Amino acid sequence: MDSGNYRRHDNAGVITIEIKRMSFLLIDERQGLQLRIISRLFEDISLTSGSGRLQGLLLDRNPNH
């Protein structure tokens, strides 16, 4: 895996983020949930609130977290 990739494994599943030159790809493979792939251009997202926007991509799937 190169430096543009991040993968987290735990008991809940795997979350992978691939950072490209102008975009990112998020692959959410959590257990018990359907596979979800999100791709966004950096110019289309706002990062002014810190990590809240990127974190929201995961949390919108399960509003209880």
Side-chain angles (χ1 to χ4, degrees), residues 12-34:
V14 179
I15 295 176
T16 304
I17 298 174
E18 295 181 16
I19 299 173
K20 307 296 184 187
R21 185 174 186 175
M22 298 178 65
S23 65
F24 71 90
L25 175 68
L26 184 142
I27 304 169
D28 184 354
E29 302 174 87
R30 288 185 276 179
Q31 292 179 355
L33 300 173
Q34 184 175 3

Side-chain angles (χ1 to χ4, degrees), residues 41-54:
L41 293 173
F42 287 118
E43 66 184 31
D44 292 342
I45 61 171
S46 169
L47 297 177
T48 57
S49 64
S51 65
R53 179 71 179 190
L54 291 175

